């Protein structure tokens, strides 16, 4: 018997489900309803077309209704909003937006992939025509029109997540003075605050004015443009605002159909992407997933998961056993010349959920230091100190950040441990890596911690300068001259430590540190083996400075 | 009791063992004997200093005897060759190369890390001063001197492995006409021959004359330089020769000490790096390892394994339980603008060992096609069709090759399957990847094969044009005009297949193909579901052309 599949939403999750369904059955009736005029477009490319890197608007239209029809024989109905679901009768109600005509359509299986909606806070004036959100092609067109026609001199981006950062970069590329306002003390919320510090610096270096720990409270239209009032009491004059404070699951239909909805508004599904109602499936930004690492319910709006979930829903409609195995939230963002990426749990997430963890930092070269062009990768690794299981990783740098996080995402997916990282055999030739990659180094450091062979002290736990503790800076004097050091430290370069042991008391705790932790660790081992009480500051002065500058 | 550790060889394995030993014990006596004048240098950087990318020779000296002494309190004796081992008496005999003085030194533990020696075939004239090998700093200095003083116009590189390729690139950078002679029908021996085809093209595009399936048989010094005679009967005039046909384990001492030696000459060790004699350990290029995938004994001379093995030997000397878990042979080589990398088993290796496998090809973009600068990654995946276990991977492309192979190396290390690859969550934003990364796509394709949902035909098995088979090219006519197609194919673009079913017979086998396999697969699914007998050519016309050009 011919199956009739109705899909709501024709972009990442919906189009993937439709394509897979057709590949599984040549004779199924597959109808895709899309309220917009576009299907299968590259949401992720929108900021880059605004910024001008992607010159051709058509490049964003991965497939058109015509090409999808030709290739997959789909019945694609654009400008058609599904406004009702009757789960009992297996029927949806559709409104043709052009004509206003409404009709109903029966289904054997219904797949919801309605995505998410940008959050618009209920603040006065936010409905101004100069306040924008960015979710789809019409949103993008509106922003571009504003820029091209009105030539705004300044803009304020509210929200420092992926889209906010990409938009800030796009606006700067367009020569617009850009301010970013962010409620938290950091941008890039999936990362921990100290890891965002180099990103703050990079934003500022490129001309973005960053206003952290502040919030937009009021928008007023004035003769000159907009007047924004902030929670801090400050006010800002600007020509336009981009609101990018996050998205919430589009659950209107789901609620109407009586589907179970999670705490954060996501449609609840099982591992086959089935909702609480028979024959209704849901995928993409609209669904609640389980966090791969913590097992907690989560909303993680990313394109990869949406695409895969669409495929899985189609599989299960045709009785192929297929399960979605939770989301790690691997994500990356270009921040001007830097990239910032993360996977798995962040430290703050683990703290919030009361999960035991340990962490280390490694600041290593993306490829052999002796080959030209090497840059530093700042890598933070979070793991379970009891069994070494990798829980999460974050990296920031100019190059090779995606590679490290992809490898660590794979390690997390495979349930691997920091002891495994020691053994990873990664590509090495001078232009590409190091004989011991940053990841191996992170593995060594974390494994040493787990094995109790390396006692560390974290920058934020640095004991107040006290009589019981001696801070030993083992860098060279020139490094200290250039970069500064921690107040109250004694400087004894690692290579001359053995000649200066008399300067170190055995009855106090020594906290050693270097630039990144490596020489500090060599010093730690030496002193430990000599019977001193000693700890090494993980990540060295580099991490120390990041921690000290949190929120700046 | 103070341990006395003697180490032979002061570079990758030896220096790492020495450093780790000191970190484990402050009071051990650690003596490093190195017959050369340099320790801890970057072997891997030698070709790049010859080529001029690494300008500063000192950059190659990662550590000097002085710095290693200062940091690790080692007794480093350079220009000191260990010429004898008495395993019974736990003693080595050392010759000071400058003075000729010989003396013996007792050890509690002996670590051998003598490396490997370039293979020099026993052919007439090979001892000419204009024939070079490259292993260490003096070798490099000799080559540079030749180039700087004699300004050779032409050079012949014999051997197309990593070092041969890097040297060819270096010589071209120095403006020297370069010919590469290789006995096999391909360069980059760890890869399969069809994967080397783009590398051959890249070498030629950059001016290297490539002479495959040929061998050097005689060298004669003439008034003009060298006259080389080849097995093919050809002869070549040149000014210098770089011999880079591989290395053999340096096992002189090991043999002398009566250690067990493997078939290919490597010192046999257990997983703790212990040799067949008590208190003698061996690491690095000199040892025989086990192949991680096949379990077969192997010689895999790479820096990462050497470094890690050094650390492990030191650990075990101090009774820390530490095991070396076999070598995958993950390797990468820059080939002008391309990079070529591989991990795990190649197809030819599996064929040679009679191991069952299946393979697929994916040719995907390194990042989203709609974001500028995307280039193609050619990825070959080899796996066990019974359980989906990933056995090996090879990739060639301009960008993102190291990333893909590192992820796949991690997957292999974790014993993961092609089904896992479908689920990998990798970094995606337009400048870095795709919502479905090349690796996910490879996972989909391979998983479909394993599940019997995708019947493929390999380019080399393409049936001779016969009445029982219809070849269907589903690309667009313009692609065929530009790139050509396979003789005897019918062209029906995938998007118009449904309208042309009458042109396809149901009683014959249809072999469909497109550019890379994706549209061929869509066509395959459609036709299969319609009851046709059909196969898709994996990797499409791109792989077909690579296979057809093997050996060219
Ligand atoms: C600017 C921007 C940049 C992004 N960058 C990245 C990135 O770099 N990496 C990444 O992984 N992710 C990125 N994302 C997120 C990614 O695009 C989403 O995770 C993904 O598109 C979600 O797919 P989906 O199918 O759930 O929703 P969508 O792709 O949003 O599709 C939902 C569709 O359903 C339609 N719809 C909703 N309700 C109805 C209805 N009742 N009737 C008919 N149609 C309806 C909507 O019009 C919409 O077209 C970005 C998103 C945006 C907006
Ligand atoms: C040109 C070149 C490029 C390379 N590129 C790469 C690359 O890109 N990636 C990669 O992974 N690997 C690369 N390698 C391989 C890598 O350098 C080796 O795998 C690694 O150095 C092996 O370490 P080892 O300690 O076993 O040997 P070595 O590093 O060679 O050290 C052995 C040392 O022992 C000394 N020695 C030997 N016998 C005695 C004795 N009897 N007494 C005293 N001293 C002795 C030798 O003089 C030598 O210095 C490259 C090698 C070369 C030569
Ligand atoms: C365009 C779109 C509909 C394509 O969906 P799709 O056909 O499922 O995906 P792809 O084109 O990547 O093809 C994947 C299929 O081809 C197969 N395939 C991929 N490469 C192949 C190859 N070289 N050989 C054989 N088969 C191949 C895969 O197995 C998979 O098929 P399966 O699911 O039946 O196993 C969907 O990706 C889309 O709408 N994208 C734009 C929207 C979007 O994702 N936005 C957010 C990101 S910006
Ligand atoms: C220079 C050389 C002797 C260094 O050896 P090493 O000290 O073992 O290696 P590294 O400098 O990378 O340091 C690694 C150690 O520092 C620790 N470490 C690394 N980064 C750290 C950090 N950020 N914080 C704390 N500890 C750190 C590791 O845990 C490891 O110690 P362990 O083995 O006791 O666990 C050796 O690598 C060498 O000779 N290299 C040149 C030769 C060579 O490899 N050639 C071939 C490639 S071109």
């Amino acid at each position: 018997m011919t199956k009739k599949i109705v899909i709501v939403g024709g972009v990442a999750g919906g189009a993937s489900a439709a394509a897979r369904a057709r590949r599984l059955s040549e004779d199924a009736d597959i109808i895709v309803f899309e309220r917009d005029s576009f299907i299968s477009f590259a949401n992720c490319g929108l900021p880059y077309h605004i910024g001008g890197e992607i010159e051709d608007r058509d490049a964003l239209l991965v497939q058109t209704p015509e090409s999808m029809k030709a290739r997959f024989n789909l019945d694609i109905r654009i400008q058609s909003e599904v406004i009702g679901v009757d789960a009992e009768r297996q029927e949806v109600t559709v409104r043709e937006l052009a004509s206003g005509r409404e009709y109903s359509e029966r289904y054997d299986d219904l797949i919801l992939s309605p995505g998410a909606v940008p959050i618009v806070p209920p603040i006065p004036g936010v409905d101004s025509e100069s306040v924008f959100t960015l979710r789809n092609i019409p949103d993008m067109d509106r922003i571009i029109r504003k820029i091209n026609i009105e030539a705004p001199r300044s803009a304020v981006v509210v929200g420092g997540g992926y889209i906010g950062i990409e938009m800030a970069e796009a606006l700067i590329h367009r020569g617009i003075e850009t301010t970013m306002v962010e409620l938290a003390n950091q941008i890039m919320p999936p990362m921990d605050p100290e890891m965002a510090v180099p990103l703050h610096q990079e934003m500022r270096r490129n001309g973005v004015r960053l206003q952290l720990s502040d919030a937009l409270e009021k928008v007023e239209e004035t003769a000159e443009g907009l007047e924004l009032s902030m929670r801090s009491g400050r006010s800002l004059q600007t020509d336009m605002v981009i609101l990018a404070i996050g998205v919430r699951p589009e659950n209107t239909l789901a609620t109407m159909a009586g589907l179970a909805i999670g705490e954060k508004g996501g449609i609840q599904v099982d591992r086959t992407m089935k909702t609480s109602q028979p024959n209704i499936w849901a995928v993409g930004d609209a669904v609640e997933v389980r966090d791969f690492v913590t097992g907690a319910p989560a909303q993680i709006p990313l394109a990869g998961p949406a695409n895969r979930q669409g495929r899985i829903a189609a599989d299960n409609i045709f009785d192929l056993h297929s399960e979605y195995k939770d989301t790690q939230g691997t994500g990356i963002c270009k921040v001007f010349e830097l990239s910032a990426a993360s996977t798995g749990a962040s430290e703050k997430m683990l703290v919030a959920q009361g999960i035991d963890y340990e962490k280390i930092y490694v600041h290593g070269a993306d490829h052999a230091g002796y080959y030209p062009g090497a840059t530093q990768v700042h890598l933070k690794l979070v793991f379970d100190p009891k069994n070494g299981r990798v829980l999460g990783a974050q990296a920031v740098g100019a190059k090779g950040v995606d590679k490290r996080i992809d490898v660590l995402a794979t390690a997390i997916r495979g349930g691997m441990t920091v002891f495994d990282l020691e053994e990873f055999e990664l590509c090495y030739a001078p232009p590409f890596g190091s004989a011991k990659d940053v990841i191996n180094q992170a593995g060594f450091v974390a494994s040493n911690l787990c094995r109790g062979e390396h006692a560390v002290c974290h920058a934020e736990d640095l004991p107040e300068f006290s009589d019981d503790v001696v801070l030993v800076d083992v860098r060279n004097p020139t490094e200290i001259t250039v970069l500064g050091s921690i107040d109250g430290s004694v400087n004894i370069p690692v290579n001359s430590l053995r000649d200066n042991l008399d300067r170190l008391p055995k009855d106090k705790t020594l906290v050693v540190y270097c630039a990144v932790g490596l020489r500090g660790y060599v010093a730690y081992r030496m002193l430990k083996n000599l019977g001193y009480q000693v700890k090494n500051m993980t990540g060295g002065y580099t991490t120390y400075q990041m921690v000290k500058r949190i929120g700046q």
Side-chain angles (χ1 to χ4, degrees), chain A:
Chain A
M1 211 199 61
T2 301
K3 251 193 208 295
K4 182 165 170 187
I5 302 172
V6 165
I7 299 175
V8 181
V11 193
S16 297
R20 175 71 174 169
R22 174 59 71 225
R23 286 193 292 269
L24 295 179
S25 162
E26 187 56 21
D27 60 6
D29 280 336
I30 307 173
I31 311 179
V32 179
F33 292 109
E34 169 55 60
R35 67 178 164 204
D36 210 338
S37 306
F38 306 92
I39 61 155
S40 272
F41 67 91
N43 328 48
C44 318
L46 302 177
Y48 294 100
H49 182 53
I50 296 173
E53 283 102 321
I54 300 177
E55 287 181 23
D56 182 10
R57 180 172 176 278
D58 282 349
L60 299 175
L61 306 175
V62 180
Q63 292 279 353
T64 60
E66 297 69 42
S67 64
M68 279 293 271
K69 160 92 185 140
R71 179 158 307 172
F72 293 111
N73 189 25
L74 304 173
D75 182 351
I76 297 178
R77 307 193 194 164
I78 57 170
Q79 297 183 292
S80 299
E81 182 166 10
V82 176
I83 55 170
V85 178
D86 188 331
E88 205 65 42
R89 302 177 55 180
Q90 303 203 175
E91 223 173 70
V92 294
T93 310
V94 184
R95 180 185 293 143
E96 281 184 1
L97 297 181
S99 64
R101 182 174 83 95
E102 293 183 7
Y103 62 96
S104 60
E105 196 74 63
R106 207 194 51 76
Y107 62 78
D108 292 318
D109 286 282
L110 173 65
I111 302 179
L112 302 178
S113 188
V117 244
I119 295 172
V120 178
I123 56 175
V126 80
D127 50 351
S128 158
E129 297 235 312
S130 298
V131 175
F132 301 85
T133 55
L134 179 62
R135 178 74 194 176
N136 50 33
I137 303 263
D139 291 346
M140 175 187 78
D141 290 344
R142 268 191 292 277
I143 295 172
I144 291 178
R145 225 176 294 126
K146 173 82 176 180
I147 296 175
N148 289 351
I149 297 177
E150 300 185 19
R153 289 191 29 214
S154 71
V156 171
V157 175
V158 183
Y162 297 109
I163 296 177
I165 294 171
E166 288 172 354
M167 274 310 301
E169 187 170 339
L171 293 166
I172 292 282
H173 279 184
R174 297 294 299 257
I176 298 170
E177 278 180 22
T178 303
T179 301
M180 173 173 281
V181 178
E182 164 60 57
L183 181 61
N185 65 349
Q186 64 163 109
I187 63 172
M188 272 295 272
M191 302 183 72
D192 289 316
E194 76 284 12
M195 294 301 288
V197 167
L199 307 179
H200 299 164
Q201 293 166 343
E202 182 69 3
M203 294 287 272
R204 294 208 171 93
R205 200 176 67 82
N206 285 278
V208 178
R209 269 182 242 140
L210 207 57
Q211 212 158 303
L212 298 172
S213 308
D214 206 352
L216 178 63
E217 296 217 312
K218 192 160 87 185
V219 180
E220 283 169 289
E221 295 192 351
T222 65
E224 292 79 42
L226 298 176
E227 162 115 17
L228 310 183
S229 310
M230 302 290 154
R231 183 168 305 171
S232 59
R234 275 187 271 193
S235 72
L236 274 175
Q237 294 291 333
T238 191
D239 296 325
M240 64 189 290
V241 169
I242 308 282
L243 270 186
I245 60 172
V247 297
R248 56 172 182 75
E250 170 55 273
N251 60 15
T252 324
L253 281 176
T255 310
M256 208 180 285
L259 305 182
I261 303 284
E263 246 176 54
K264 289 176 186 157
I267 306 171
Q268 288 184 327
V269 289
D270 65 13
R271 287 195 149 200
T272 66
M273 307 314 294
K274 187 151 49 200
T275 67
S276 56
Q277 292 275 4
N279 302 99
I280 306 186
W281 313 76
V283 304
D285 289 0
V287 307
E288 180 182 277
V289 294
R290 264 196 355 163
D291 184 285
F292 184 84
V293 172
T294 66
Q299 288 298 138
I300 304 177
L302 290 170
N307 274 274
R308 273 195 300 285
Q309 291 164 2
R311 185 175 186 253
I312 290 170
D315 279 355
N316 288 303
I317 286 175
F318 290 99
D319 296 325
L320 298 179
H321 179 73
S322 186
E323 292 197 341
Y324 183 71
K325 305 219 180 89
D326 303 337
T327 303
Q328 290 168 248
T330 309
I332 190 164
C333 191
K334 178 172 174 318
V335 186
F336 294 95
E337 302 293 304
L338 293 183
S339 27
S342 60
T343 185
S346 61
E347 181 179 2
K348 61 187 176 192
M349 190 197 276
L350 296 169
V351 169
Q353 302 192 18
I355 298 172
D356 195 27
Y357 71 92
E358 185 49 279
K359 64 174 172 178
I360 58 106
Y361 300 85
V362 169
H363 310 277
D366 73 298
H367 66 247
Y370 56 81
Y371 186 87
T375 57
Q376 216 173 23
V377 176
H378 303 291
L379 178 68
K380 174 177 185 173
L381 191 73
V382 188
F383 53 95
D384 184 334
K386 289 187 301 299
N387 54 23
R389 183 176 161 229
V390 182
L391 301 176
Q394 302 166 39
V396 172
K399 282 182 300 185
V401 161
D402 54 339
K403 175 164 84 170
R404 271 57 183 216
I405 293 301
D406 279 356
V407 168
L408 291 166
T410 301
I412 291 177
R413 203 33 68 184
M416 295 165 92
T417 67
V418 298
F419 309 110
D420 294 313
L421 303 187
E422 297 187 288
E423 286 161 11
F424 280 2
E425 260 190 76
L426 305 173
C427 291
Y428 168 50
F432 305 98
S434 296
K436 282 169 282 193
D437 189 83
V438 183
I439 290 181
N440 300 123
Q441 298 282 21
F444 295 145
V445 181
S447 300
N448 285 339
L449 243 76
C450 290
R451 289 190 286 249
E453 293 173 10
H454 184 185
V456 298
C457 157
H458 294 300
E460 66 272 23
D461 303 331
L462 208 61
E464 290 295 300
F465 180 68
S466 95
D467 282 349
D468 298 338
V469 167
V470 179
L471 262 174
V472 188
D473 186 332
V474 300
R475 293 175 298 164
N476 298 325
T478 47
E479 298 176 76
I480 298 177
T481 312
V482 176
L483 297 165
S485 95
I486 305 177
D487 280 353
S489 327
V490 191
N491 176 220
I492 312 176
V494 62
N495 287 6
S496 45
L497 256 183
R498 286 188 188 82
D499 301 331
N500 285 280
L501 294 174
D502 51 341
R503 293 170 60 192
L504 300 172
K506 280 216 164 157
D507 57 344
K508 297 188 179 181
T509 296
L510 309 177
V511 172
V512 295
Y513 68 94
C514 63
V516 299
L518 197 159
R519 286 170 293 171
Y521 166 71
V522 171
Y524 162 84
R525 280 285 194 169
M526 176 195 314
L527 295 170
K528 183 83 190 167
N529 287 333
L530 288 169
Y532 289 84
Q533 301 163 45
V534 54
K535 287 185 178 185
N536 179 32
M537 192 165 75
T538 174
Y541 194 66
T542 306
T543 298
Y544 175 80
Q545 284 195 305
M546 288 161 70
V547 169
K548 232 182 96 182
R549 290 176 184 157
I550 283 177
Q552 286 173 27

